[in-house]
Amino acid sequence: MRNATALINVLIKGMQEISKTEDPVEINQIIRNILSEMFLSDYVSFFIVNKEKNTLYEIGDKTIEISMNNPTGLLGVSYLTKKPGLYNHVKSEKYFQESIDNPENFKIRSQLVYPIVENDNILAIVRLSRSIKNSLSYTKKDLDLLESLSPYLIKLVSILLNTKKGGIEYEESEIVDLINEAVEEKEENSNGDSKDILMFLANTIHDIRTPANNLSGFLELMEEHLDNKKLISLLSGAKESAEYINTLVDGILEHLQSKNETENTKISEIITSKYLSDISNLFTANMTEKGIDYIVSIDPNIPKGIRIFDIKLKRILINLIGNAYKFTPPGKSIKFEVTFDKRMKRMKFTIEDEGIGIPEDKQQEIFEAFKQADEDTKIHYGGTGLGLAISSKYVKDLGGRLELKSQVDRGSIFYFDIPIEIANYEPIYPKFTNINKNILLYTNNADDPNIYYISKFLQESGIPDNKITISDKIATNTTHLICFEHKLNDEIVSLSKEKEIKLLIFEEKLLSVSSKEKFKDFTIISKNSYYYDTLYSFVSSRKKPKVLIIDDNKVNIKLLEFMLEGIYCDPTYETDAENAIKMMYNALKKGEPYDIVFIDQNMPKIIGSKLLKYYRELESKHTHIKPIYSVSITGDITLTEEEKNLYNSFVKKPFKIMDIKKIFSEYENY
């Protein structure tokens, strides 16, 4: 990025040139020149969105048009998510597609893709590229500057679409203020020795990225060939770890290259239960392997959606839980607890362990970089002593203070609370409306800490204490049976079917039950994992809709899966249309059909409407089963009237969360 004065001059000169012409081709070229000079980019594209045709097009001597009916590549990701992408090793990116992201076959190294959005509507996309000869990397400063320029870019789109006449209005003083606020002068380059060290580190870290990307790819391939739900869940945790490594590597690379903190410091909106579940379950396998009792307790009244600096919070929690794991011996316990103060709008995070503890005179010192409690700790447990220093700084950045209580040989408690911005006030687990249930925790070990936390969760979710029983005998009025593995046998399974008792199995050793074929259709939760979501669904009388996404484009699938995370449903997906029809038919034969299906029209082998028509014919023979609620995710532009009649609803790309939520509201009344 250039200095503030140069940027101001480039932008003012460009605005003056635009004001002198009404030729859209010339205006587009001026816009590209402005962006090229401001962001030191070798290649620039300025795509306009055509909502009617669902395409991106660029005005020029020869107009370029790209269909977004089936978005692919990094451009497609940005179009669907309406989020920017910063790629400093672009060709190693998972979703990079040469024909979309580099159709001219330029020798590019890095790319920045930025959607121009107004009122949740995507108007255009800016794509900046740097060649392999350009040693600069795009940074967060570039993203910030583009965001500052958004009001001008929106006006420029209006001019190109002929909806705004008479050129662009601007004040030079306004441009000066805008640029000065968005850009800070860069420091002089370091001396030669520092440069060599930074280059060595950058190259080494970059080399880590390739095997990390490969790991992600192998895990994804494995996931596609598994049908065991528990194994898929564990694999999901491994994928999360691989993706987290990539996030860290990107952050380190960017930091080394720009020599400033370039971590994404923007607030992100997250689905609270999914976010905390993903972090908690990263440690499930290791805790089990080491023989540690790991308890995860999440307040059911936490808001369903919050806005927070998610990467920083994730690093804090992974550091603290990781430290607890490192310093806690086998046979002891670790508890990760999250609570919510509704009045103060603050979340409190507590990580408590029964580890080696920290001497009182060392408890402040360990928050300093490269410090550990003593040399013996470093020898036995390893580590750099950076984790707590980083965590303490990040907690402070988030508006809290990392605190510690500890006793030698008794363990440690690290805790902090931070303010949150609430995006969705509904609690992650609303109170049960039907409490006419008799829940039995069937066990010989009433002292198991999981018993206490399951009971606590159920009570906090609205189940009265007198409706929850802990016993080694099954009462005749039991409606919901939570059977711990040591009590599980064929008689229990038969009894639950005979008496129509809902059965949930508590697996006391990872995969010991869920890996067995005969239990594959049962609801199972595992020790040492976050299981509240499954527990809540088990007790709830409200049926969780089974959702199937059928699309050969994995970018579409990932986006829909993300949007469905905050909605009460059980989603799965299939990229092959022939496999999808088999899945739907098998579910129909079992009497457990899918409730909602999202179908893309433009698939190989079988188009979406033909697939749906075939299923409707099969479905018509099962008159006692409620017809599937079908949604076209291609919109209705390309469909004939006959095809439209097969569907209950339509959504257009790029998807909007409000449109997806509306589908579920319509389904409730279907």
Side-chain angles (χ1 to χ4, degrees), residues 256-319:
L256 291 170
Q257 289 161 344
S258 63
K259 299 197 296 180
N260 66 83
E261 180 63 51
T262 54
E263 174 187 48
N264 183 4
T265 56
K266 287 185 180 180
I267 287 179
S268 298
E269 186 172 326
I270 60 171
I271 307 300
T272 319
S273 59
K274 175 71 165 56
Y275 177 80
L276 295 173
S277 167
D278 286 347
I279 292 171
S280 305
N281 289 337
L282 286 175
F283 297 90
T284 295
N286 286 343
M287 295 287 187
T288 302
E289 182 70 23
K290 193 173 178 180
I292 292 172
D293 282 333
Y294 175 47
I295 298 290
V296 181
S297 176
I298 309 296
D299 184 346
N301 297 307
I302 291 172
K304 184 176 281 187
I306 63 173
R307 295 186 187 92
I308 198 141
F309 296 97
D310 62 318
I311 296 295
K312 282 191 175 182
L313 181 57
K314 179 183 256 187
R315 289 189 182 184
I316 295 164
L317 296 175
I318 287 176
N319 274 337

Side-chain angles (χ1 to χ4, degrees), residues 246-256 261-263 315:
N246 282 331
T247 301
L248 291 176
V249 168
D250 285 345
I252 295 168
L253 275 172
E254 204 174 330
H255 179 77
L256 291 170
E261 180 63 51
T262 54
E263 174 187 48
R315 289 189 182 184

Side-chain angles (χ1 to χ4, degrees), residues 104-144:
E104 303 294 331
N105 291 315
F106 295 129
K107 293 183 177 179
I108 58 172
R109 183 176 69 87
S110 52
Q111 204 167 77
L112 195 161
V113 185
Y114 187 86
I116 301 167
V117 179
E118 183 180 39
N119 299 326
D120 201 34
N121 290 313
I122 184 166
L123 306 177
I125 296 181
V126 172
R127 182 170 68 195
L128 310 175
S129 303
R130 286 176 178 159
S131 75
I132 57 174
K133 294 180 181 179
N134 192 328
S135 61
L136 297 172
S137 294
Y138 290 113
T139 70
K140 183 179 175 294
K141 283 189 174 183
D142 295 305
L143 282 175
D144 289 344

Side-chain angles (χ1 to χ4, degrees), residues 54 66 96 117 184 240 293 327 394 402 410 425 519:
N54 205 22
I66 303 171
F96 176 81
V117 179
E184 293 177 3
E240 176 81 11
D293 282 333
F327 296 116
Y394 281 175
L402 183 57
R410 296 287 296 276
Y425 280 84
F519 294 115

Side-chain angles (χ1 to χ4, degrees), residues 339-407:
T339 56
F340 175 58
D341 186 326
K342 188 174 181 180
R343 186 176 65 85
M344 300 298 291
K345 294 182 182 175
R346 294 180 77 91
M347 282 173 68
K348 182 178 180 181
F349 300 84
T350 305
I351 293 90
E352 181 176 354
D353 68 61
E354 294 181 340
I356 61 174
I358 301 164
E360 192 172 348
D361 61 332
K362 301 286 186 182
Q363 288 182 15
Q364 288 307 310
E365 196 175 287
I366 61 164
F367 290 111
E368 298 173 23
F370 303 107
K371 293 281 187 177
Q372 292 191 336
D374 52 48
E375 192 61 30
D376 187 58
T377 299
K378 187 171 184 178
I379 292 168
H380 282 87
Y381 297 97
T384 61
L386 275 171
L388 287 176
I390 292 168
S391 297
S392 181
K393 178 188 179 301
Y394 281 175
V395 171
K396 188 176 179 182
D397 291 344
L398 297 178
R401 180 182 173 186
L402 183 57
E403 300 193 65
L404 165 67
K405 293 178 184 176
S406 186
Q407 286 182 277

Side-chain angles (χ1 to χ4, degrees), residues 451-475:
I451 296 286
Y452 169 77
Y453 284 101
I454 289 172
S455 301
K456 178 173 177 280
F457 172 78
L458 292 173
Q459 289 174 47
E460 289 174 344
S461 300
I463 302 295
D465 181 45
N466 63 359
K467 294 286 186 179
I468 304 167
T469 305
I470 302 163
S471 176
D472 60 356
K473 294 180 175 59
I474 301 176

